[in-house]
Amino acid sequence: MSHAHPRSIITPAAILRIVLGWGTFLGLMIAGPILEPPVAVPVLIIALIIIVGVILVCAFGVVHEAEHLARRLGDPYGSLILTLSIVMIEVILIAAVMLGPGEHATIARDSVMAVSMIILNAVIGLSLLVGGLRHGGMRHNRTGTSAYLSLLVVLSSLALALPALIGIGGSYTPGQAVPIIILTLALYVFFLVRQMGRQADDFREVSTAPEQGGAAGERTSPDGSTRPGVGQIIAGHRTELVLRVAVLLVTVLPIVLLSHDMAALLDDGLGRVGAPAALAGILIAMIVFLPESITSIRAALKGEVQRVSNLCHGALVSTVGLTIPAVLIIGALTGQTVVLGESPANLLLLGVSLLLSITTFAAKRTTAMHGAAHLAVFVVYALVVFA
């Protein structure tokens, strides 16, 4: 059994990315007074270019570690590590904003809506388009994608639609919030337990799904070779896995922190040109989920459409399943109003996106035509934002 040397994980390139990410974040903290809005236009442009450039460098580092983990652990475990590391930090970021100064009643609603549209339509649409153009029809594990979409229909309804109908001003009452928190967390935890346990095979590529006849703890590949179970892999490669997860987390954290710092600069710049306020939230969400977006597109280019589903649908299930309970709990503890109910136009687009996702992944094979349809919905969403 081969073991990766620590030097092959903590490489000069990995160290450079970490130093660059954290160094830029510390530099922005030191330069805080200079970057307080309103910022001089040249300084604003230079700061945004530097931040976006550093985020891109760090994003490719995150993708590098995630792909190594995915190859070592196999799906759904590899994709789950990348998804949870990004989503957990995103949830912490939203919580930090709510606990900070000012009123942020709609931060969770705006974030979840932006992430939903970006993942369901922009990232999945582009992934299916490039994958379909290269490979034609791509087979996926329909049981796994159906499980994701089932949860998304329920969780999205609880998060964005129901409070607009039964709440007060788009907010759940305290008596309504408690059962919603319990139900959302219970459903999400049950999903994770099943995905990592008895139903793990439902989230693997069709071409690599295990066949009958393997020994206990092993999985049979199409070529007849056996693949050890995840427990055996972790036991045999513990040092490598711990180091890679640590490098991934240390590299992904500056992405989210820099995205948060970039929000004020974007608000300032977009405000000057008269752009809608929601555009800043969309751009932040696109930056935060950049590592997963890159990984999804690269997986699609390899024809791994189930990995695309694991990354995208899994990220959205985690985002809704963790964000909504977190903000409702913070709202209850701090006495803040948490507005979750969406506008009719956004609810229509969310419903169309979920319905389109169900029809796309109900097919035996996904194609470039499916991808084009998802991208079209994202363009419509952009029009609504600017309306």
Side-chain angles (χ1 to χ4, degrees), residues 267-358:
D267 282 337
D268 187 19
L270 293 173
R272 294 183 191 185
V273 299
L279 185 59
I282 295 170
L283 293 174
I284 297 299
M286 292 178 74
I287 293 293
V288 169
F289 284 90
L290 184 62
E292 272 191 297
S293 302
I294 296 170
T295 308
S296 297
I297 293 167
R298 291 177 68 165
L301 288 170
K302 296 176 185 176
E304 299 173 349
V305 71
Q306 184 57 43
R307 184 140 195 256
V308 172
S309 176
N310 290 344
L311 287 163
C312 295
H313 294 137
L316 190 51
V317 167
S318 298
T319 298
V320 184
L322 293 173
T323 301
I324 301 307
V327 298
L328 288 176
I329 290 171
I330 291 171
L333 294 176
T334 61
Q336 293 186 61
T337 300
V338 179
V339 178
L340 295 175
E342 263 294 358
S343 66
N346 278 345
L347 286 177
L348 173 63
L349 282 175
L350 182 62
V352 169
S353 301
L354 290 170
L355 182 60
L356 178 59
S357 299
I358 291 168

Side-chain angles (χ1 to χ4, degrees), residues 157 160-172 176 341-342 347:
S157 301
L160 302 174
L162 195 60
L165 298 174
I166 69 170
I168 299 174
S171 303
Y172 281 122
Q176 295 167 343
E342 263 294 358
L347 286 177

Side-chain angles (χ1 to χ4, degrees), residues 342-386:
E342 263 294 358
S343 66
N346 278 345
L347 286 177
L348 173 63
L349 282 175
L350 182 62
V352 169
S353 301
L354 290 170
L355 182 60
L356 178 59
S357 299
I358 291 168
T359 55
T360 294
F361 289 96
K364 290 183 179 180
R365 295 178 183 274
T366 59
T367 66
M369 194 176 298
H370 290 117
H374 282 271
L375 287 173
V377 175
F378 186 72
V379 172
V380 174
Y381 171 63
L383 292 175
V384 170
V385 169
F386 284 96

Side-chain angles (χ1 to χ4, degrees), residues 195-219:
Q195 186 188 29
M196 291 188 292
R198 295 288 296 273
Q199 288 185 241
D201 294 346
D202 294 339
F203 302 91
R204 294 191 171 95
E205 298 292 335
V206 173
S207 59
T208 58
E211 298 173 0
Q212 299 296 325
E218 297 183 333
R219 305 200 177 278

Side-chain angles (χ1 to χ4, degrees), residues 73-349:
L73 292 172
D75 267 339
Y77 311 105
S79 298
L80 195 60
I81 289 172
L82 174 61
T83 294
L84 288 179
S85 63
I86 293 175
V87 171
M88 285 295 291
I89 295 171
E90 173 74 358
V91 172
I92 292 168
L93 178 59
I94 292 173
V97 171
M98 286 189 66
L99 293 170
E103 288 292 324
H104 305 282
T106 64
I107 178 78
R109 180 194 71 184
D110 295 342
S111 298
V112 170
M113 184 64 195
V115 169
S116 298
M117 292 296 102
I118 289 166
I119 289 179
L120 289 178
N121 296 312
V123 181
I124 286 182
L126 188 56
S127 297
L128 296 185
L129 181 65
V130 298
L133 291 175
R134 171 171 284 193
H135 300 283
M138 298 182 292
R139 293 179 64 202
H140 61 97
N141 198 322
R142 287 195 283 180
T143 305
T145 50
S146 174
Y148 282 130
L149 293 171
S150 296
L151 262 73
L152 285 176
V153 169
V154 175
L155 292 177
S156 298
S157 301
L158 294 178
L160 302 174
L162 195 60
L165 298 174
I166 69 170
I168 299 174
S171 303
Y172 281 122
T173 64
Q176 295 167 343
V178 172
I180 292 297
I181 291 169
I182 295 171
L183 183 60
T184 301
L185 286 176
L187 188 58
Y188 179 66
V189 169
F190 181 69
F191 162 75
L192 282 183
V193 170
R194 297 295 296 183
Q195 186 188 29
M196 291 188 292
R198 295 288 296 273
Q199 288 185 241
D201 294 346
D202 294 339
F203 302 91
R204 294 191 171 95
E205 298 292 335
V206 173
S207 59
T208 58
E211 298 173 0
Q212 299 296 325
E218 297 183 333
R219 305 200 177 278
T220 307
S221 300
D223 60 3
S225 60
T226 57
R227 173 181 174 82
V230 69
Q232 293 172 283
I233 295 172
I234 292 173
H237 302 274
R238 184 176 288 107
T239 302
E240 176 192 356
L241 294 173
V242 169
L243 281 175
R244 288 208 183 278
V245 170
V247 171
L248 186 150
L249 290 173
V250 174
T251 309
V252 80
L253 189 53
I255 293 177
V256 182
L257 294 173
L258 288 172
S259 299
H260 184 46
D261 289 336
M262 193 172 66
L265 296 174
L266 275 175
D267 282 337
D268 187 19
L270 293 173
R272 294 183 191 185
V273 299
L279 185 59
I282 295 170
L283 293 174
I284 297 299
M286 292 178 74
I287 293 293
V288 169
F289 284 90
L290 184 62
E292 272 191 297
S293 302
I294 296 170
T295 308
S296 297
I297 293 167
R298 291 177 68 165
L301 288 170
K302 296 176 185 176
E304 299 173 349
V305 71
Q306 184 57 43
R307 184 140 195 256
V308 172
S309 176
N310 290 344
L311 287 163
C312 295
H313 294 137
L316 190 51
V317 167
S318 298
T319 298
V320 184
L322 293 173
T323 301
I324 301 307
V327 298
L328 288 176
I329 290 171
I330 291 171
L333 294 176
T334 61
Q336 293 186 61
T337 300
V338 179
V339 178
L340 295 175
E342 263 294 358
S343 66
N346 278 345
L347 286 177
L348 173 63
L349 282 175

